[in-house]
Amino acid sequence: MNAIEFRKVTKKFGGFTANRDLSFTVKKGSIHGLIGENGAGKSTAMKVLFGIHPADSGEILIEDRVVRITNPVHAMRMGIGMVHQHFMLAGPETVLDNIILGHEPGRVFVGRARAEAELRAIAKTYGLDFDRWDRPVSELSVGEQQRVEILKLLYQKSKVLILDEPTAVLTPQEVKDLFGNLVRLKEEGKTIILISHKLKEVLGYCDEITVIRRGETVGSRKASETDDSELARMMVGRDVSFTYQGERKVFANMSDAKPVVRVSRLSITSTTEPLREVSFELKPGEILGVAGVQGNGQSTLLRALSHPSLHAKNWSGEYLLNGRDQSGSDPIVLRNAGVGLVPEDRLSEGLLLNQDMTENFLLGQHEDPRYSKGGFLLRTKARAVTESKIKEFDIRPPYPTVWTGRMSGGNQQKLVIARALDPGPSVLYVAHPTRGVDVGAIEKIHDAIVQERNRGKAILLFSSELDELMDLCDRMLVFYNGGIRAEFARPDFDPWAIGRVMGGGDR
Ligand SMILES: Nc1ncnc2c1ncn2[C@@H]1O[C@H](COP(=O)(O)OP(=O)(O)OP(=O)(O)O)[C@@H](O)[C@H]1O
Ligand SMILES: [Mg+2]
């Protein structure tokens, strides 16, 4: 039996068609992958299924019967649950309230104590237990927040679970746990629809995969009968290379070059993710990788380097940029000193969602002489540059007047990257540049980063993808428990040795 069927579903936003005659089927009791380029219409299709957007035409079938789903409460009542690409939990509310309040469609009111007992039992069964159910969700890590979201679906007794890019921000262990649970839910007869840009994951765990391109179905394949090259071709319409194939300029006398960034014995201890005695140098023309399991000090290092004044109270150690002390600087000072930044969380730190692409491109560059003259912003110029970046990075939809809040997740990411790689800065702090980005765009972003290196920029690259670091970096620092535990140099990157150090062992 099919759990879900889309029959020629069309969804328009004004004059723009996000889903066009979209048709595919999802078998009951299977894990079904939904893949496609950024902006292809994956999230939109799932929002139509979940009753957030009404379809303009076409039909949706649940267990082979045509249904009309008009809103999310209705969808939940029909057994459909969704974990969004960007979570939608109520920050100040507790874990418990987030799960049981307002999510009792079709249930007789059972009383808090009983609801809690039931929830604890479910949590225990799936290894999703919380030490404290009374913590506000805003205090939870992303991985924990996602567990709350999944628990919510299990509590609602969803039969179809839609997960929109669930692994983009998880640690490798969390990814393993998540898929362990998904396989188990499937064995219990539930159906899972998984949106992901990670072809390895999709091929490893899905039974079948549907590819969407520009809002239309390209086709569906059994995971056992396809591979990453074919899927990538179906997604972007051309062959994609999964490793960097371009030139890597060789710089003579690298060892004599003066470091652009010098960090010595930097410690920031009174935070949840402390940093202990970190020292390194970053030279022009190199990509220095920062590897480690999330939570081992990397985030604190990035925040310290990009916003030192925030940590002024518990700062110890030295941070020099081209020989000048930056330990008390704020982001604008750093920006003017030549630092470009791709922040960890593009939504909360990177973009103004109710402003257009040009405004967002100007963000943090208001004092840059390229975009301002005598106190006036050169908007026409900024708009022209934004237009050229849209072309270069294939940002969609390709209009500088589009509000960034209406762009798909991956296209927002491309804009943040394009802004940071603007030719101004001489140092780049880049975090998770390809998070949520499709395989074709990854190729472009990787190429752009190496090109900046070849131009002599100094790049510090934070990534949770070891493959990405090994592909791009000249050297790599491995973090564990707040400090640098090992350094590896190209071409001697040994994934096993790096993995051991990331886990707290020896190389
Ligand atoms: N509320 C909206 N108003 C206008 N346009 C929208 C809205 N939501 C989505 N779109 C547009 O619809 C298209 C499809 O977006 P969608 O979020 O479904 O893409 P996606 O396949 O999920 O991409 P990604 O992999 O980047 O998450 C995009 O071009 C997007 O800009
Ligand atoms: Mg999406």
Side-chain angles (χ1 to χ4, degrees):
M1 194 182 359
N2 290 327
I4 300 292
E5 179 173 353
F6 272 62
R7 268 190 203 160
K8 290 187 170 279
V9 171
T10 294
K11 168 67 203 163
K12 294 183 182 159
F13 292 110
F16 178 80
T17 308
N19 291 157
R20 186 192 302 273
D21 287 341
L22 192 63
S23 301
F24 64 96
T25 57
V26 177
K27 293 197 185 69
K28 199 174 163 157
S30 73
I31 303 183
H32 194 101
L34 201 57
I35 65 172
E37 285 178 300
N38 297 126
K42 305 176 296 291
S43 296
T44 302
M46 291 301 104
K47 286 179 188 167
V48 169
L49 174 59
F50 193 53
I52 294 174
H53 298 313
D56 292 286
S57 60
E59 287 177 336
I60 288 180
L61 289 78
I62 298 182
E63 300 196 344
D64 301 331
R65 289 220 315 266
V66 178
V67 291
R68 273 207 77 77
I69 303 169
T70 49
N71 58 58
V73 174
H74 188 188
M76 285 188 249
R77 216 173 274 154
M78 308 245 242
I80 296 174
M82 177 161 180
V83 178
H84 292 274
Q85 186 165 2
H86 307 111
F87 303 152
M88 292 188 170
L89 298 171
E93 306 293 339
T94 68
V95 174
L96 189 64
D97 285 344
N98 259 282
I99 298 173
I100 65 176
L101 289 189
H103 292 285
E104 301 172 337
R107 295 167 69 108
V108 187
F109 181 71
V110 289
R112 209 180 154 81
R114 235 180 92 194
E116 189 174 337
E118 189 183 330
L119 187 60
R120 279 179 193 273
I122 297 172
K124 213 165 168 188
T125 315
Y126 291 96
L128 295 168
D129 231 345
F130 282 88
D131 48 350
R132 279 178 49 203
W133 294 89
D134 57 352
R135 263 161 75 196
V137 289
S138 54
E139 285 178 8
L140 305 181
S141 73
V142 240
E144 288 173 317
Q145 291 191 25
Q146 188 183 65
R147 270 155 58 195
V148 175
E149 292 276 13
I150 289 175
L151 266 175
K152 208 159 90 181
L153 303 199
L154 297 175
Y155 180 74
Q156 287 161 18
K157 307 218 178 345
S158 304
K159 291 189 279 186
V160 177
L161 288 79
I162 305 166
L163 304 176
D164 193 348
E165 294 190 41
T167 63
V169 290
L170 298 187
T171 65
Q173 184 58 44
E174 286 170 331
V175 171
K176 230 177 122 199
D177 293 345
L178 172 71
F179 280 111
N181 272 324
L182 296 185
V183 168
R184 177 167 175 177
L185 290 166
K186 162 185 143 171
E187 281 161 3
E188 291 169 6
K190 296 196 190 266
T191 305
I192 290 133
I193 303 179
L194 173 76
I195 298 179
S196 176
H197 287 293
K198 299 184 183 174
L199 299 182
K200 270 188 204 158
E201 268 173 28
V202 174
L203 285 162
Y205 292 98
C206 294
D207 299 286
E208 208 174 346
I209 299 152
T210 295
V211 183
I212 301 183
R213 183 146 194 256
R214 297 184 191 266
E216 300 177 60
T217 319
V218 179
S220 297
R221 295 282 184 278
K222 283 199 173 111
S224 55
E225 292 171 4
T226 185
D227 59 21
D228 51 2
S229 309
E230 185 191 28
L231 292 177
R233 249 190 330 269
M234 288 169 78
M235 282 171 69
V236 306
R238 62 174 169 88
D239 283 319
V240 173
S241 156
F242 297 107
T243 54
Y244 176 70
Q245 299 293 329
E247 186 214 345
R248 262 192 109 79
K249 189 169 167 189
V250 178
F251 292 94
N253 306 325
M254 194 67 176
S255 49
D256 303 337
K258 261 184 113 172
V260 185
V261 177
R262 239 189 95 185
V263 171
S264 348
R265 308 192 65 177
L266 177 61
S267 294
I268 293 171
T269 44
S270 48
T271 97
T272 45
E273 193 186 320
L275 203 62
R276 299 186 179 94
E277 304 261 328
V278 165
S279 305
F280 65 90
E281 289 183 345
L282 176 63
K283 294 190 170 178
E286 77 167 342
I287 303 177
L288 177 60
V290 177
V293 175
Q294 195 185 318
N296 280 283
Q298 309 94 301
S299 297
T300 307
L301 175 64
L302 177 62
R303 260 179 278 122
L305 296 180
S306 57
H307 199 160
S309 57
L310 207 63
H311 298 278
K313 276 200 187 122
N314 49 70
W315 183 284
S316 112
E318 201 176 41
Y319 171 22
L320 302 178
L321 200 66
N322 291 316
R324 294 171 77 161
D325 172 41
Q326 302 292 346
S327 56
S329 299
D330 61 34
I332 293 292
V333 171
L334 288 175
R335 171 86 219 178
N336 293 338
V339 173
L341 173 69
V342 177
E344 283 202 305
D345 180 352
R346 58 181 172 253
L347 285 185
S348 71
E349 304 171 80
L351 292 174
L352 299 173
L353 296 177
N354 53 3
Q355 300 281 340
D356 70 15
M357 281 202 236
T358 307
E359 282 304 322
N360 274 279
F361 193 80
L362 276 169
L363 205 65
Q365 317 205 78
H366 284 104
E367 289 173 26
D368 191 309
R370 288 173 303 157
Y371 302 116
S372 97
K373 199 171 176 188
F376 288 98
L377 275 171
L378 306 173
R379 272 182 215 281
T380 317
K381 178 156 183 222
R383 190 174 155 140
V385 175
T386 308
E387 260 165 2
S388 75
K389 293 288 171 183
I390 289 172
K391 263 209 198 90
E392 186 185 344
F393 287 87
D394 191 17
I395 300 171
R396 298 178 205 176
Y399 315 112
T401 48
V402 170
W403 280 19
T404 57
R406 294 194 175 155
M407 290 159 62
S408 77
N411 281 298
Q412 292 172 335
Q413 176 76 357
K414 290 193 236 168
L415 179 68
V416 172
I417 298 276
R419 182 178 62 196
L421 296 187
D422 193 35
S426 55
V427 188
L428 296 172
Y429 299 144
V430 180
H432 313 292
T434 56
R435 197 171 255 181
V437 163
D438 71 55
V439 285
I442 288 176
E443 201 182 11
K444 168 68 211 157
I445 290 171
H446 282 178
D447 189 60
I449 291 174
V450 180
Q451 291 315 320
E452 293 305 321
R453 167 204 176 272
N454 289 349
R455 281 190 200 113
K457 285 194 187 173
I459 303 172
L460 193 64
L461 179 63
F462 297 72
S463 176
S464 44
E465 307 287 330
L466 196 49
D467 289 346
E468 175 166 67
L469 291 174
M470 295 207 301
D471 194 25
L472 301 184
C473 294
D474 297 281
R475 286 189 296 138
M476 210 189 297
L477 308 171
V478 186
F479 273 67
Y480 181 76
N481 195 19
I484 297 169
R485 286 302 130 95
E487 183 182 325
F488 292 81
R490 192 181 194 88
D492 302 318
F493 291 149
D494 171 356
W496 301 108
I498 297 170
R500 276 196 298 279
V501 179
M502 282 169 68
D506 295 324
R507 57 196 295 170

